[in-house]
Amino acid sequence: MQLGTRWTSGDEPPAAVPAVLRPQIHAVDRALPGDDLGQPRPRWTLTFLEGRPIAELDTGVIVEATASGEVLVRHDDEDEFG
């Protein structure tokens, strides 16, 4: 696995984030509830596994490109094989 970069949810993703992931990352960011207590927003981490980009939010939401080029949004506690 190759470490990419990190950025705060709600901020514009860095240039290293592939265009194919951006619409779903923005959708996840828009769906996050606001925090009236002023807590910091969660952060995204971009990595590459077998050359495929994977963006994971600190909350466990994952946006990834499959080998076929499809973009999936899932939570890290979901069974990806079931």
Side-chain angles (χ1 to χ4, degrees):
M1 187 181 295
Q2 171 188 345
L3 184 60
T5 189
R6 286 182 54 84
W7 72 99
T8 301
S9 171
D11 290 351
E12 187 61 31
V17 177
V20 69
L21 296 185
R22 290 172 178 268
Q24 292 302 326
I25 289 171
H26 287 303
V28 170
D29 284 346
R30 284 191 305 271
L32 290 174
D35 185 348
D36 295 334
L37 300 177
Q39 294 296 309
R41 295 197 46 98
R43 293 182 50 86
W44 288 97
T45 301
L46 174 69
T47 56
F48 292 85
L49 181 61
E50 297 177 0
R52 292 181 288 121
I54 302 170
E56 184 170 357
L57 193 58
D58 290 342
T59 62
V61 174
I62 297 171
V63 178
E64 64 182 318
T66 65
S68 66
E70 180 182 13
V71 176
L72 300 177
V73 178
R74 62 183 181 87
H75 198 272
D76 70 355
D77 65 2
E78 293 178 6
D79 180 7
E80 63 184 328
F81 300 106

